[in-house]
Amino acid sequence: MHWFERRIRRYEHRRWTTDDNRRVQPFDWGLEHIGGSPSDPHPGAFVRDYALKAIESSREWYAASPAPDYRLDPENVLTFASSIESPWPENNTVHAQLFPARRSGPGPAVLLLPNWNAKWHGQNGLCRWIQRLGITVLKMSMPYHDRRMAHGHERADQICGPNIGLTLQANRQAVQDARRCLHWLEQQSYTKLGILGTSIGSSVGYITLVHDERIRAGGFFHVSTYYADVISQGMTTNHVWEGLRNDVSVDELREYWSPISPMPYVERGMGAGRNTFMVYGKYDPTMLPELTRRMLDALRLHGAEPRTLELACGHYSLELAPFSYIAGYRMLTYFIESLA
C-alpha cells in the first residue's frame, strides 16, 4: 500500500471513530411499515414479493403529488407535509433550507440531498458557493435527520438500520419528499432543475433523477450499486450489518432492499440519456471503489454516459483540501454548463 493511501485510510478510520454514538440495533422485519403484518409466518417471502412489485411499478411506488401546505418562513425555511406518514410525528414534516440566487428571475435551481446523519447546518458552505454562482439551492433534510429526528434518537437509524421494512419506507419517503421539493421549485417558476446528492443522498438523488423527467442534471458525490453491498462491506455501516448478519444473507438483503438501490434502475435502462456527473474516492472504505466501478460499468452497458471524477481520497477525506476544492469546482462547472 502506497504511503499516501495509508495516510488517507488512517484519516478515514480516525474520523469514523470520532462518532461514539453508534449502537447495534436489534433486527426486525418491520412488515408493518410496508403494509404487512408483524405476525406473518413467512416474513422473508413477503418482503421479497413486496420488493419485486415495487421495482416493477417503481414509477407509481415513488410517485408524489405536490404538498397541500407549503410554507416558506422569513428565514427561508420551507416546510410541508411528507407524503408518507411514519410512526414518528416529527419526521412527517419536511424541512428544507432555501438559498436563493441573487439574480432577476427564477433561473436554475438545484435540490441538494445531504449525507447520512448530516446536521442542520451541514453543507451550507457548498450551498452558498453554488448560490454565489447564480444557482438557487434548496437543501432538504432527509427523513429522520436534524429537525426530523425521532424523539429519543441521536442518529438517523431508521433510514439505514437493521429494520428491513422501516429502511424501505424511509428511503421511499426520502425520494417522495425530494419530488415534493421539486414540485415546489416548479411552482416558483424554476424550470431548469438539477439534483445534487452526497453518500446516501447520492443514492436517493439518483433514484429521484431516473423517476423525474424534470431534472436536467444530476451530480453525485460517492456512488455505489446496491444498498446491501454498502451496508455489508462499508466501514461506517459496520454496526448496521452487525444487527443484520445473523438473520439475513447479503444476497437476501440485496433482494429485499433492491427498490431503494440504484442498480435495478440502471439495469432497466432508466438512466440512459440522463445527464450525470459522479465523483468518488479511490480509497473510499464506505462506498468501496470496486462497487463504484461496477456501477459505472453497468451505466455504460445500459446506455448511460456519466461524466466521472476519481480523486485520491476516501469518504470523509473528500471534504479536505485540495479534494474538496477540486470536486467542488468540477461539480459547480458541471451544473453551470448543464443548467445554462
Side-chain angles (χ1 to χ4, degrees):
M1 191 182 297
H2 191 270
W3 70 268
F4 188 78
E5 179 180 353
R6 287 198 298 270
R7 185 174 179 180
I8 291 295
R9 292 193 182 279
R10 281 198 299 268
Y11 176 83
E12 294 288 318
H13 188 268
R14 186 165 65 250
R15 276 294 310 277
W16 173 58
T17 58
T18 57
D19 287 341
D20 60 358
N21 59 356
R22 293 187 182 90
R23 302 288 182 270
V24 177
Q25 305 292 330
F27 174 82
D28 198 321
W29 285 103
L31 300 190
E32 66 274 17
H33 300 291
I34 53 175
S37 169
S39 59
D40 191 310
H42 305 290
F46 179 90
V47 179
R48 186 176 291 107
D49 183 61
Y50 178 88
L52 285 171
K53 290 178 179 176
I55 291 175
E56 289 171 359
S57 59
S58 65
R59 296 199 181 277
E60 292 75 27
W61 198 67
Y62 279 125
S65 60
D69 58 345
Y70 292 116
R71 179 179 177 272
L72 185 67
D73 71 15
E75 296 183 349
N76 278 333
V77 176
L78 176 70
T79 57
F80 58 89
S82 177
S83 56
I84 288 180
E85 186 174 344
S86 72
W88 290 271
E90 53 270 40
N91 177 55
N92 298 332
T93 298
V94 182
H95 296 256
Q97 297 172 267
L98 180 68
F99 297 80
R102 297 179 181 88
R103 59 184 298 159
S104 58
V110 167
L111 175 62
L112 189 145
L113 305 177
N115 53 288
W116 187 32
N117 291 300
K119 308 302 181 187
W120 174 250
H121 296 292
Q123 295 195 319
N124 279 7
L126 176 61
C127 293
R128 294 190 181 99
W129 199 5
I130 300 172
Q131 178 189 35
R132 282 195 292 269
L133 293 175
I135 300 176
T136 292
V137 182
L138 182 63
K139 186 186 74 170
M140 186 189 88
S141 289
M142 300 282 275
Y144 301 100
H145 284 68
D146 50 76
R147 296 186 178 186
R148 305 179 64 180
M149 187 164 286
H151 181 71
H153 287 258
E154 296 181 10
R155 297 176 59 86
D157 294 316
Q158 296 85 353
I159 199 171
C160 182
N163 186 311
I164 303 294
L166 181 55
T167 299
L168 279 166
Q169 183 199 61
N171 282 268
R172 180 190 186 193
Q173 183 178 30
V175 174
Q176 291 188 357
D177 290 347
R179 299 193 71 182
R180 283 199 159 182
C181 284
L182 294 169
H183 282 306
W184 182 82
L185 287 169
E186 190 176 48
Q187 289 176 7
Q188 310 311 304
S189 300
Y190 292 100
T191 56
K192 299 175 181 178
L193 300 176
I195 195 164
L196 173 58
T198 300
S199 195
I200 194 172
S202 170
S203 172
V204 170
Y206 182 80
I207 294 172
T208 304
L209 169 82
V210 298
H211 286 89
D212 202 309
E213 294 297 328
R214 293 172 296 187
I215 302 174
R216 291 191 180 191
F220 308 107
F221 293 119
H222 311 299
V223 181
S224 195
T225 50
Y226 286 91
Y227 212 92
D229 294 339
V230 176
I231 298 301
S232 60
Q233 299 181 44
M235 180 180 70
T236 59
T237 52
N238 181 268
H239 65 292
V240 179
W241 177 239
E242 188 64 26
L244 286 159
R245 65 185 184 88
N246 292 323
D247 295 275
V248 295
S249 68
V250 176
D251 289 339
E252 288 171 330
L253 193 61
R254 197 178 289 121
E255 283 188 271
Y256 299 153
W257 283 347
S258 54
I260 58 173
S261 303
M263 187 64 101
Y265 307 109
V266 172
E267 292 172 339
R268 288 172 61 188
M270 294 180 71
R274 303 311 300 271
N275 187 3
T276 60
F277 180 44
M278 301 182 173
V279 180
Y280 59 98
K282 185 177 181 180
Y283 307 127
D284 191 338
T286 295
M287 290 184 165
L288 304 184
E290 51 264 37
L291 297 178
T292 301
R293 286 190 284 270
R294 200 176 303 162
M295 174 75 170
L296 295 176
D297 288 344
L299 281 164
R300 292 168 182 134
L301 180 65
H302 292 88
E305 297 180 359
R307 302 188 201 180
T308 63
L309 174 63
E310 181 187 73
L311 294 171
C313 64
H315 205 79
Y316 293 114
S317 48
L318 181 62
E319 68 187 17
L320 300 178
F323 311 118
S324 59
Y325 293 113
I326 298 169
Y329 173 78
R330 291 285 300 275
M331 186 63 74
L332 297 184
T333 302
Y334 161 74
F335 276 117
I336 290 170
E337 293 174 354
S338 301
L339 301 180

